[in-house]
Amino acid sequence: MMDRPVIRQITARDLTFSYDHSISRRPVTGTPADKFPLESQVHGVKDIAFTAHAGELVAIVGPNGCGKSTLLRILIGELRPNSGHWKIDNILASTLPRTAAARHLSLVPQMASAPFGYTVQEIVLMARHAAHAQNSLMPLGFE
């Protein structure tokens, strides 16, 4: 397996992400929509700031719906923040190709099921192997 540089620091400043919910809160009974206005934006995270250094154990804790998963989805590049920024070793994450960030960051969802009894470590290693194999095919023109 290829050695990759170790991330020394991840920094986030003023990260905010809102889900756009254009969902009417009107009950099924047919009450006019103006009595139940549309809920247009729901904050997933608001003004998050942190610094995590290499070797630190960082926990993201909070009640259901407070934005823990949303924050993680921002950090792996699945969501883009509405405002604020985050950096990997002082490089704005928004300027990195997703593949570059994916070499260092990954997420295993808490409800993921492991086929055939694989451990989390084995699944992560398989994904890294697959990514490495895909990158080695790129010079041959396979995309």
Side-chain angles (χ1 to χ4, degrees), residues 21-27 31-42:
H21 287 284
S22 298
I23 300 170
S24 174
R25 295 186 300 165
R26 181 174 40 147
T31 305
D34 59 349
K35 295 202 182 217
F36 294 90
L38 295 178
E39 182 103 19
S40 62
Q41 298 249 313
V42 176

Side-chain angles (χ1 to χ4, degrees), residues 6 18 22 31 40 49 54 66 68 82 86 103 108-109 113-114 116 125 132 138 143:
V6 174
S18 297
S22 298
T31 305
S40 62
C66 74
K68 301 177 299 289
N82 300 109
W86 68 279
R103 288 185 186 112
V108 177
S113 60
F116 307 112
L125 290 173
H132 177 67
M138 293 297 178
E143 294 186 25

Side-chain angles (χ1 to χ4, degrees), residues 10-16 45-52 58 71 84-86:
I10 295 177
T11 308
R13 294 290 174 257
D14 304 319
L15 280 181
T16 296
V45 294
K46 185 174 181 182
D47 299 327
I48 299 293
F50 69 88
T51 300
V58 178
L71 175 60
H85 64 273
W86 68 279

Side-chain angles (χ1 to χ4, degrees), residues 2 4 127-137:
M2 297 173 61
R4 304 237 190 267
R128 290 185 68 176
H129 176 73
H132 177 67
Q134 181 181 4
N135 286 340
S136 65
L137 292 176

Side-chain angles (χ1 to χ4, degrees), residues 41-110:
Q41 298 249 313
V42 176
H43 283 295
V45 294
K46 185 174 181 182
D47 299 327
I48 299 293
F50 69 88
T51 300
H53 296 93
E56 288 182 335
L57 178 62
V58 178
I60 303 170
V61 296
N64 290 348
C66 74
K68 301 177 299 289
S69 296
T70 300
L71 175 60
L72 293 173
R73 291 175 63 197
I74 291 170
L75 295 178
I76 64 167
E78 189 175 316
L79 297 174
R80 294 213 181 266
N82 300 109
S83 63
H85 64 273
W86 68 279
K87 298 178 180 181
I88 298 175
D89 287 338
N90 235 10
I91 300 170
L92 278 174
S94 60
T95 65
L96 293 171
R98 280 188 75 179
T99 53
R103 288 185 186 112
H104 301 286
L105 302 170
S106 63
L107 174 66
V108 177
Q110 66 184 18

